[in-house]
Amino acid sequence: MRIVIVEDSLEDLLNLRSLLASMPHMHIVGVAHNLQDAREVLKEEIPDLVFLDIELGPENSFDLMDSIPVATRVIFTTVHTGYGAAAFDVDATDYVIKPVSEERLLRALAKLPANDVAPASKVLVYRGGSERHSLALQSIAAIVADRDHSIVVAGHQQYQDHRRFREWLQLLEKECFTQLDRSTLVHLPSVRSWQPYGGGLMLRFKNATVTLEIGRAATRRFEEMGVAEGLEESE
């Protein structure tokens, strides 16, 4: 994804650049500190996404909207909370209060149309405090909703991640994951075996030693898809 950042605060610019640098397929192709520089950048580049600070000294970045290509998405960034309605009136993708956190940035990016975001080979997840782990997508067996967070089942671990379940649905839309119920997303090709457990099933995976319990609704969906017919049932 080709990105232009329009920001007059060096601190906020460096923060946003650092966050984007840790994400795959994010390429910053231009930076501007005022509207004049931004217009010059946009004459040379047609970005997929513009991060646009609203107040640039005495200037207001809404005056730049006519210079932004129609197909280019805009995420406004600002320290002020009073511009939300105006931002969405010009069809902004999102409106983010600075300083931008990684969690808030990921939520904003998740609002982009799926075909705007290139498929990732790895994804960052949290596991306790600020500790982060880079997981290959092929190592992820399942995602389970956990209130405002999610549990990622991968390898020998269950990772508590900061993303909401619906953000994982968008992130993994093209990765052969199937939603079994309102809170369970499973990579069905990774399911190795299953067995009845309570009113549902216990799933075991080829790429994870951690098992996953699914409830009645998820079990019905699992069976309706005919997945179980090709798997080994455990006793």
Side-chain angles (χ1 to χ4, degrees), residues 5-9 12-13 31-33 51 53 56 77 98:
I5 301 174
V6 183
E7 173 62 69
D8 64 350
S9 164
D12 290 323
L13 171 61
V31 172
H33 306 289
F51 284 95
D53 184 16
L56 300 166
T77 61
K98 298 188 295 185

Side-chain angles (χ1 to χ4, degrees), residues 2-208:
R2 296 166 58 79
I3 295 171
V4 166
I5 301 174
V6 183
E7 173 62 69
D8 64 350
S9 164
L10 179 60
E11 180 179 358
D12 290 323
L13 171 61
L14 293 176
N15 174 58
L16 186 53
R17 291 189 73 145
S18 176
L19 292 173
L20 291 169
S22 69
M23 300 176 184
H25 307 291
M26 299 293 173
H27 307 291
I28 299 172
V29 297
V31 172
H33 306 289
N34 54 59
L35 295 189
Q36 181 178 346
D37 290 347
R39 291 188 178 98
E40 293 301 317
V41 170
L42 292 169
K43 287 179 183 177
E44 301 294 330
E45 301 287 348
I46 301 179
D48 302 302
L49 174 64
V50 173
F51 284 95
L52 187 54
D53 184 16
I54 292 180
E55 293 191 351
L56 300 166
E59 300 177 307
N60 187 299
S61 64
F62 285 101
D63 294 333
L64 184 66
M65 294 303 296
D66 289 343
S67 300
I68 296 177
V70 175
T72 297
R73 304 284 173 170
V74 174
I75 294 176
F76 282 107
T77 61
T78 181
V79 295
H80 302 285
T81 59
Y83 288 110
F88 292 115
D89 280 345
V90 295
D91 295 325
T93 295
D94 207 347
Y95 173 88
V96 181
I97 301 300
K98 298 188 295 185
V100 180
S101 67
E102 182 176 39
E103 177 180 1
R104 187 63 184 86
L105 176 59
L106 287 167
R107 289 179 182 174
L109 294 173
K111 295 180 180 181
L112 295 170
N115 58 359
D116 284 358
V117 182
S121 59
K122 290 189 176 182
V123 62
L124 290 175
V125 301
Y126 284 86
R127 180 173 176 260
S130 60
E131 183 182 10
R132 292 186 295 176
H133 293 254
S134 179
L135 299 181
L137 286 181
Q138 59 265 32
S139 72
I140 297 177
I143 307 292
V144 180
D146 182 27
R147 297 184 180 179
D148 289 336
H149 297 78
S150 301
I151 301 296
V152 181
V153 179
H156 305 288
Q157 303 284 352
Q158 290 189 7
Y159 300 85
Q160 184 172 18
D161 186 59
H162 62 292
R163 295 176 184 84
R164 294 187 174 111
F165 184 71
R166 66 174 179 269
E167 293 167 26
W168 277 107
L169 289 176
Q170 294 172 323
L171 183 64
L172 300 177
E173 184 178 14
K174 299 181 180 179
E175 301 296 335
C176 297
F177 281 79
T178 300
Q179 185 176 2
L180 295 181
D181 60 19
R182 295 175 61 185
S183 62
T184 309
L185 188 64
V186 173
H187 186 250
L188 294 179
S190 295
V191 177
R192 174 175 58 83
S193 63
W194 58 276
Q195 67 183 74
Y197 187 86
L201 295 175
M202 176 83 73
L203 303 183
R204 292 183 173 84
F205 301 95
K206 303 170 186 175
N207 57 346

